[in-house]
Amino acid sequence: MENFKKSTIYQIYPKSFCDSNGDGIGDIPGIISKLDYIKSLGVDYIWSTPFFTSPLKDNGYDVADYREINPIFGTMGDVEELIAEAGKRGIGLMLDMVFNHTSTQHKWFQKALGGDREYLDYYIFRDGAEGAPPTNWQSKFGGSAWEYVPGLGKWYLHLFDRTQADLNWENPKVREELRDVLRFWKNKGVKGFRFDVVNLISKPGLFEDDMQGDGRRFYTDGPRVHEFLKELVRDSGIAPMVTVGEMSSTSLENCVRYSNPAERELSMCFHFHHLKVDYRDGEKWELMPPDYGKLKRHFEEWQTGMQQQGGWSALFWCNHDQPRAVSRFGDDKAYWKESAKMLATSIHMMRGTPYIYQGEELGMANPAYKEISDYRDVESINYYGIMQKAGKTQEEALETLRQRSRDNGRTPMQWDAGEYAGFSASRPWLAIPENHAYINAEAEEQDADSVLAYYRKLVALRKEYPVIQEGAIEFLYREVPGLLAYQRLLGEERLLALNNLTGEPVRLPEPIGCRGFQRLIGNYGEPGELIGELRAYESIVLWKP
Ligand code: TEU
Ligand code: CA
């Protein structure tokens, strides 16, 4: 069995993890200083979001040099030490490869801007007149996906910010350059890779207007994406390493192909359908309470579909682009602890590889910022303007950010109850939520019933029970609203996971007899002989040998 099926992966957003030198920005020495804490979680890998040279317009997802470290985060020596020190603790480092685009400050783009034909072909430039972009495609961060360069009389494509120019994967030289980046990091001792929006790399042969949407249907899971991925993995020599692709607006069929071992593409996929169940009409900037029925159906469809066709999923609620799950799907007030634990249980017992995003293991919640000046994210700031132009009031736009901004997930890690949460000796780059008074690592270390203690137990259970690693999954009580229930089966072994997604009790159609079962974990006390209903956000995991 592949090692990653037993593993749990911890995601670090370096800017917000731990600041070693008091400049208010997290850094690599800060990560090194917390390796014992990470080890204590029982995780096998750290995935760090980018710390390469970058103007940080999109916090490092705008890479200006794939082989250099941004001095704000540290030095190459620090990264080498991180790899070595993590390795001593049995933890592998996975790096984040942003290969769909580079920063416009990358030397390739700068040469292209200078008119160098070789480098113009590294990007997607199209001749045209000012005011008439080649297509009507929209950037994912708002506005046109094309930017005009008057000096060249050309437009370039940027699916994200205008400072993030899309690479031309049709050019074999580009593909070789990127493989060489992978070899460089492999030689440094890195143990795996996450590939940013990697299902967007293959653009169509012909660029045309999209009369139905923002253009994504033309380049999402594009024509040559599987061929490109196979080549990338095979010819860079990274094949045995763990790899995960971030798949934007993808399909189940494509995720099967990306992650089925027979295809020799990636180990697993991030897919996001379960994180759109609170988007009204599929629109991130339109608020709606989560539709738990839809959430259940997505899990059922993707878990069983990936299983039947031999795909493998990354299991996650949180990352640096998402609001905190406990605020979004749980109740970060009355049932803070219970709902944080339930959300964790609901995915950690599934088939796939769980990811814990820094602070999630503490139950970190959205910061509820009051002012637009509290926000830093380029997407949030763009949409704050766009929403108001579209007719929202300032207060409505702010409330939308309070619930949807990517900064919700980027607040500094809450290490203790001190003024700067033990994150830094001075004011951090992004404000610390008031709740750090009680949501923090130091307090939770003292509490045997903490969210932190619960996550440690979940990680340990996956290591101990093969049924969690490789058991078949089958969904139960599909007709009961609010109840996410499934079993995992391996030989005679049976594991039953019951999760109440809601703040109201849910009744089971008939009571479950617990005799013969052992309770592995749960967020309320030991159940009685019979389980007739689950309390608010209750989770119970039962196991039978
Ligand atoms: O994210 C891709 C992505 O699809 C999200 O940013 C999404 O567009 C956004 O949440 C829309 O609401 C990856 C990285 O994780 C993200 O941080 C980068 O900004 C983005 O790619 C560009 O590299
Ligand atoms: Ca620092």
Side-chain angles (χ1 to χ4, degrees), residues 20 31 197 201 257 264 270 289 302 308 348 395 449 461 525:
S20 71
I31 302 175
V197 289
I201 56 178
R257 291 180 66 189
R264 298 177 186 278
F270 284 114
W302 280 81
Q308 280 161 4
H348 278 250
E395 188 37 50
D449 187 43
L461 286 174

PDB file of all heavy atoms in Angstrom, residues 20 31 197 201 257 264 270 289 302 308 348 395 449 461 525:
ATOM      1  N   SER A  20      10.190  34.465  13.696  1.00  0.00           N
ATOM      2  CA  SER A  20      11.367  34.286  14.579  1.00  0.00           C
ATOM      3  C   SER A  20      12.103  35.584  14.857  1.00  0.00           C
ATOM      4  O   SER A  20      12.844  35.677  15.821  1.00  0.00           O
ATOM      5  CB  SER A  20      12.343  33.290  13.945  1.00  0.00           C
ATOM      6  OG  SER A  20      12.975  33.882  12.817  1.00  0.00           O
ATOM      7  N   ILE A  31       9.289  28.194  11.527  1.00  0.00           N
ATOM      8  CA  ILE A  31       8.761  26.829  11.320  1.00  0.00           C
ATOM      9  C   ILE A  31       9.675  25.818  12.015  1.00  0.00           C
ATOM     10  O   ILE A  31       9.210  24.918  12.721  1.00  0.00           O
ATOM     11  CB  ILE A  31       8.643  26.487   9.815  1.00  0.00           C
ATOM     12  CG1 ILE A  31       7.736  27.484   9.090  1.00  0.00           C
ATOM     13  CG2 ILE A  31       8.123  25.049   9.633  1.00  0.00           C
ATOM     14  CD1 ILE A  31       7.654  27.287   7.579  1.00  0.00           C
ATOM     15  N   VAL A 197      -3.250  24.938  -8.894  1.00  0.00           N
ATOM     16  CA  VAL A 197      -4.203  24.972 -10.034  1.00  0.00           C
ATOM     17  C   VAL A 197      -3.694  24.252 -11.291  1.00  0.00           C
ATOM     18  O   VAL A 197      -3.756  24.795 -12.404  1.00  0.00           O
ATOM     19  CB  VAL A 197      -4.642  26.412 -10.398  1.00  0.00           C
ATOM     20  CG1 VAL A 197      -5.559  26.975  -9.328  1.00  0.00           C
ATOM     21  CG2 VAL A 197      -3.479  27.362 -10.646  1.00  0.00           C
ATOM     22  N   ILE A 201      -3.491  24.185 -16.727  1.00  0.00           N
ATOM     23  CA  ILE A 201      -2.266  24.447 -17.507  1.00  0.00           C
ATOM     24  C   ILE A 201      -2.449  24.293 -19.008  1.00  0.00           C
ATOM     25  O   ILE A 201      -1.691  24.862 -19.779  1.00  0.00           O
ATOM     26  CB  ILE A 201      -1.102  23.544 -17.050  1.00  0.00           C
ATOM     27  CG1 ILE A 201      -1.494  22.062 -17.137  1.00  0.00           C
ATOM     28  CG2 ILE A 201      -0.667  23.906 -15.629  1.00  0.00           C
ATOM     29  CD1 ILE A 201      -0.372  21.093 -16.744  1.00  0.00           C
ATOM     30  N   ARG A 257      -8.706  10.182 -13.336  1.00  0.00           N
ATOM     31  CA  ARG A 257      -7.525  10.046 -14.194  1.00  0.00           C
ATOM     32  C   ARG A 257      -6.286  10.680 -13.564  1.00  0.00           C
ATOM     33  O   ARG A 257      -5.184  10.135 -13.657  1.00  0.00           O
ATOM     34  CB  ARG A 257      -7.792  10.660 -15.567  1.00  0.00           C
ATOM     35  CG  ARG A 257      -8.804   9.851 -16.363  1.00  0.00           C
ATOM     36  CD  ARG A 257      -9.075  10.464 -17.723  1.00  0.00           C
ATOM     37  NE  ARG A 257      -7.894  10.430 -18.592  1.00  0.00           N
ATOM     38  CZ  ARG A 257      -7.836  11.072 -19.764  1.00  0.00           C
ATOM     39  NH1 ARG A 257      -8.857  11.805 -20.173  1.00  0.00           N
ATOM     40  NH2 ARG A 257      -6.749  10.987 -20.515  1.00  0.00           N
ATOM     41  N   ARG A 264      -0.361   7.015 -13.826  1.00  0.00           N
ATOM     42  CA  ARG A 264       0.961   7.602 -13.532  1.00  0.00           C
ATOM     43  C   ARG A 264       0.965   9.128 -13.636  1.00  0.00           C
ATOM     44  O   ARG A 264       1.838   9.724 -14.257  1.00  0.00           O
ATOM     45  CB  ARG A 264       2.043   7.021 -14.440  1.00  0.00           C
ATOM     46  CG  ARG A 264       2.208   5.524 -14.252  1.00  0.00           C
ATOM     47  CD  ARG A 264       3.227   4.948 -15.215  1.00  0.00           C
ATOM     48  NE  ARG A 264       3.268   3.507 -15.101  1.00  0.00           N
ATOM     49  CZ  ARG A 264       3.960   2.841 -14.173  1.00  0.00           C
ATOM     50  NH1 ARG A 264       4.689   3.520 -13.300  1.00  0.00           N
ATOM     51  NH2 ARG A 264       3.933   1.536 -14.125  1.00  0.00           N
ATOM     52  N   PHE A 270      -6.892  17.613  -4.795  1.00  0.00           N
ATOM     53  CA  PHE A 270      -7.805  18.499  -4.062  1.00  0.00           C
ATOM     54  C   PHE A 270      -8.946  18.834  -5.005  1.00  0.00           C
ATOM     55  O   PHE A 270      -8.708  19.318  -6.122  1.00  0.00           O
ATOM     56  CB  PHE A 270      -7.117  19.826  -3.723  1.00  0.00           C
ATOM     57  CG  PHE A 270      -6.131  19.768  -2.603  1.00  0.00           C
ATOM     58  CD1 PHE A 270      -4.783  19.989  -2.833  1.00  0.00           C
ATOM     59  CD2 PHE A 270      -6.562  19.532  -1.307  1.00  0.00           C
ATOM     60  CE1 PHE A 270      -3.867  19.975  -1.788  1.00  0.00           C
ATOM     61  CE2 PHE A 270      -5.658  19.518  -0.256  1.00  0.00           C
ATOM     62  CZ  PHE A 270      -4.304  19.733  -0.494  1.00  0.00           C
ATOM     63  N   PRO A 289     -26.630  30.193   3.857  1.00  0.00           N
ATOM     64  CA  PRO A 289     -26.209  29.209   4.859  1.00  0.00           C
ATOM     65  C   PRO A 289     -25.861  27.897   4.159  1.00  0.00           C
ATOM     66  O   PRO A 289     -26.393  27.622   3.075  1.00  0.00           O
ATOM     67  CB  PRO A 289     -27.438  29.035   5.758  1.00  0.00           C
ATOM     68  CG  PRO A 289     -28.431  30.052   5.320  1.00  0.00           C
ATOM     69  CD  PRO A 289     -28.047  30.558   3.979  1.00  0.00           C
ATOM     70  N   TRP A 302     -18.533  11.805  -4.543  1.00  0.00           N
ATOM     71  CA  TRP A 302     -17.085  11.816  -4.767  1.00  0.00           C
ATOM     72  C   TRP A 302     -16.391  10.651  -4.074  1.00  0.00           C
ATOM     73  O   TRP A 302     -15.487  10.031  -4.644  1.00  0.00           O
ATOM     74  CB  TRP A 302     -16.493  13.160  -4.334  1.00  0.00           C
ATOM     75  CG  TRP A 302     -16.707  14.198  -5.392  1.00  0.00           C
ATOM     76  CD1 TRP A 302     -17.855  14.907  -5.601  1.00  0.00           C
ATOM     77  CD2 TRP A 302     -15.793  14.596  -6.414  1.00  0.00           C
ATOM     78  NE1 TRP A 302     -17.699  15.736  -6.682  1.00  0.00           N
ATOM     79  CE2 TRP A 302     -16.449  15.575  -7.202  1.00  0.00           C
ATOM     80  CE3 TRP A 302     -14.485  14.238  -6.748  1.00  0.00           C
ATOM     81  CZ2 TRP A 302     -15.827  16.187  -8.294  1.00  0.00           C
ATOM     82  CZ3 TRP A 302     -13.874  14.858  -7.825  1.00  0.00           C
ATOM     83  CH2 TRP A 302     -14.538  15.808  -8.588  1.00  0.00           C
ATOM     84  N   GLN A 308     -14.805   3.620  -6.656  1.00  0.00           N
ATOM     85  CA  GLN A 308     -15.149   2.665  -7.717  1.00  0.00           C
ATOM     86  C   GLN A 308     -14.152   2.710  -8.865  1.00  0.00           C
ATOM     87  O   GLN A 308     -13.881   1.699  -9.499  1.00  0.00           O
ATOM     88  CB  GLN A 308     -16.554   2.962  -8.263  1.00  0.00           C
ATOM     89  CG  GLN A 308     -17.643   2.398  -7.370  1.00  0.00           C
ATOM     90  CD  GLN A 308     -18.998   3.058  -7.634  1.00  0.00           C
ATOM     91  OE1 GLN A 308     -19.139   3.881  -8.539  1.00  0.00           O
ATOM     92  NE2 GLN A 308     -19.987   2.685  -6.840  1.00  0.00           N
ATOM     93  N   HIS A 348     -11.845  12.850   8.637  1.00  0.00           N
ATOM     94  CA  HIS A 348     -10.672  12.015   8.949  1.00  0.00           C
ATOM     95  C   HIS A 348     -10.964  10.518   8.884  1.00  0.00           C
ATOM     96  O   HIS A 348     -10.036   9.723   8.750  1.00  0.00           O
ATOM     97  CB  HIS A 348     -10.076  12.389  10.308  1.00  0.00           C
ATOM     98  CG  HIS A 348      -9.168  13.575  10.243  1.00  0.00           C
ATOM     99  ND1 HIS A 348      -7.806  13.500  10.400  1.00  0.00           N
ATOM    100  CD2 HIS A 348      -9.439  14.880   9.986  1.00  0.00           C
ATOM    101  CE1 HIS A 348      -7.274  14.706  10.259  1.00  0.00           C
ATOM    102  NE2 HIS A 348      -8.244  15.554  10.013  1.00  0.00           N
ATOM    103  N   GLU A 395     -21.627  48.081   4.018  1.00  0.00           N
ATOM    104  CA  GLU A 395     -21.772  47.128   5.115  1.00  0.00           C
ATOM    105  C   GLU A 395     -22.017  45.712   4.571  1.00  0.00           C
ATOM    106  O   GLU A 395     -21.477  44.738   5.088  1.00  0.00           O
ATOM    107  CB  GLU A 395     -22.885  47.572   6.074  1.00  0.00           C
ATOM    108  CG  GLU A 395     -23.004  46.748   7.354  1.00  0.00           C
ATOM    109  CD  GLU A 395     -21.680  46.252   7.985  1.00  0.00           C
ATOM    110  OE1 GLU A 395     -20.733  47.059   8.183  1.00  0.00           O
ATOM    111  OE2 GLU A 395     -21.582  45.041   8.262  1.00  0.00           O
ATOM    112  N   ASP A 449      -9.293  17.476  26.978  1.00  0.00           N
ATOM    113  CA  ASP A 449     -10.492  17.409  26.149  1.00  0.00           C
ATOM    114  C   ASP A 449     -10.442  18.445  25.014  1.00  0.00           C
ATOM    115  O   ASP A 449     -11.451  18.738  24.363  1.00  0.00           O
ATOM    116  CB  ASP A 449     -11.684  17.695  27.086  1.00  0.00           C
ATOM    117  CG  ASP A 449     -13.013  17.485  26.402  1.00  0.00           C
ATOM    118  OD1 ASP A 449     -13.141  16.479  25.678  1.00  0.00           O
ATOM    119  OD2 ASP A 449     -13.903  18.344  26.573  1.00  0.00           O
ATOM    120  N   LEU A 461      -5.336   7.339  15.111  1.00  0.00           N
ATOM    121  CA  LEU A 461      -6.258   6.267  14.710  1.00  0.00           C
ATOM    122  C   LEU A 461      -5.998   5.825  13.274  1.00  0.00           C
ATOM    123  O   LEU A 461      -6.010   4.639  12.956  1.00  0.00           O
ATOM    124  CB  LEU A 461      -7.722   6.735  14.845  1.00  0.00           C
ATOM    125  CG  LEU A 461      -8.263   6.844  16.271  1.00  0.00           C
ATOM    126  CD1 LEU A 461      -9.667   7.461  16.256  1.00  0.00           C
ATOM    127  CD2 LEU A 461      -8.295   5.469  16.950  1.00  0.00           C
ATOM    128  N   GLY A 525     -19.616  12.107  25.640  1.00  0.00           N
ATOM    129  CA  GLY A 525     -19.166  10.922  26.387  1.00  0.00           C
ATOM    130  C   GLY A 525     -19.474   9.614  25.674  1.00  0.00           C
ATOM    131  O   GLY A 525     -20.034   9.591  24.579  1.00  0.00           O
TER     132      GLY A 525
END
